[in-house]
């Protein structure tokens, strides 16, 4: 199968793509932290329930299924949140032009000429337009459009969940260990089977 070689990025495309990738990386970290915080909170709550109610395998399986379902929902919500928040390249260019009017119409025209210059356009004109656009872009603080990770609240939730688990392990080590073990191995919640043989329990026929 023939595959077309990927065209190299022009200098202007390289600068804009670098900033666009930075925006997407920040949004990935933001939503990944939110999903991780929810998962940690759900697991901690499941351990708390296991400490409070030490029941059999049926209860343990229900706890595992609910914990896994909540975790999957949290991961799906994080992915969907990122997909909604992450701007496409063209939408991001529009955002730049709306925030910085001095770049309006310059970015699109320069990128179009770099990508596919019309046959009746002078290469020198296209080069001059690209150079002027790059100069304007260099004097424009487009890095200020990169959002923040907003990690404070998710990290607080993760830290609080870990503190709760540590406090449970120190205060109730036996129940906490059993709750943690049976969360991932529900069959371990079955009560131990003891066989006791006493005198007179078995009669042998000669």
């Amino acid at each position: 199968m023939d595959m077309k070689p990927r065209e190299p990025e022009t200098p202007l495309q390289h600068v804009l793509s670098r900033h666009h990738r930075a925006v997407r990386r920040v949004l990935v970290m933001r939503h990944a932290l939110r999903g991780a915080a929810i998962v940690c909170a759900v697991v901690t709550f499941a351990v708390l329930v296991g400490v409070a109610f030490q029941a059999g395998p049926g209860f343990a399986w229900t706890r595992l299924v609910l914990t896994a379902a909540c975790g999957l929902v949290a991961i799906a919500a994080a992915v969907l949140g990122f997909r909604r928040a992450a701007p496409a390249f063209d939408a991001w260019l529009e955002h730049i032009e709306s925030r910085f009017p001095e770049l309006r119409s310059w970015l699109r025209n320069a990128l179009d000429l770099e990508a596919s210059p019309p046959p009746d356009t002078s290469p020198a004109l296209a080069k001059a337009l690209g150079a002027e656009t790059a100069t304007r872009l260099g004097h424009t603080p487009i890095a200020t459009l990169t959002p923040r990770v907003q990690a404070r609240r998710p990290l607080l939730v993760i830290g609080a969940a870990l503190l709760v688990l540590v406090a449970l392990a120190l205060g109730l080590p036996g129940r906490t260990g059993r709750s943690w073990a049976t969360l991932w191995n529900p069959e371990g919640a079955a009560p131990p089977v003891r066989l006791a043989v006493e005198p007179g329990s078995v009669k042998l026929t000669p």
Side-chain angles (χ1 to χ4, degrees):
M1 185 175 72
D2 294 336
M3 296 185 65
K4 294 182 179 180
R6 185 178 180 181
E7 296 182 359
E9 288 185 338
T10 63
L12 185 59
Q13 285 176 331
H14 177 72
V15 173
L16 291 171
S17 296
R18 178 165 52 85
H19 284 282
H20 183 242
R21 287 192 296 269
V23 170
R24 293 178 68 89
R25 281 196 300 270
V26 169
L27 293 175
V28 166
M29 289 187 289
R30 175 191 294 179
H31 291 279
L33 278 174
R34 289 179 180 177
I38 295 174
V39 170
C40 287
V42 168
V43 171
T44 301
F45 180 75
V47 173
L48 277 170
V49 171
V51 170
F53 306 100
Q54 294 192 342
F59 175 81
W61 275 110
T62 302
R63 185 170 57 128
L64 175 59
V65 170
L66 291 177
T67 301
C70 292
L72 290 175
V73 169
I75 294 172
V79 173
L80 291 177
F82 165 75
R83 295 187 64 179
R84 284 194 300 264
F89 187 71
D90 290 339
W92 186 68
L93 290 181
E94 292 179 2
H95 182 52
I96 294 176
E97 291 177 343
S98 65
R99 288 291 301 273
F100 303 105
E102 63 271 20
L103 294 176
R104 189 169 298 161
S105 76
W106 283 87
L107 290 178
R108 297 303 183 91
N109 292 333
L111 287 173
D112 290 342
L113 284 177
E114 285 184 343
S116 55
D120 56 346
T121 301
S122 168
L125 177 61
K127 186 177 181 180
L129 179 61
E132 176 61 24
T133 304
T135 301
R136 287 173 175 258
L137 191 63
H139 291 90
T140 304
I142 63 172
T144 58
L145 299 181
T146 303
R148 296 183 178 181
V149 178
Q150 297 179 351
R152 183 173 179 271
R153 182 175 296 178
L155 290 178
L156 286 176
V157 172
I158 294 173
L162 292 177
L163 285 177
V164 170
L165 290 177
V166 171
L168 284 174
L170 294 177
L172 300 168
R175 296 176 73 91
T176 304
R178 185 178 186 277
S179 175
W180 179 265
T182 56
L183 176 61
W184 312 113
N185 180 25
E187 294 299 333
V193 177
R194 297 180 59 187
L195 296 177
V197 178
E198 298 178 357
S201 298
V202 179
K203 295 182 178 180
L204 298 179
T205 302

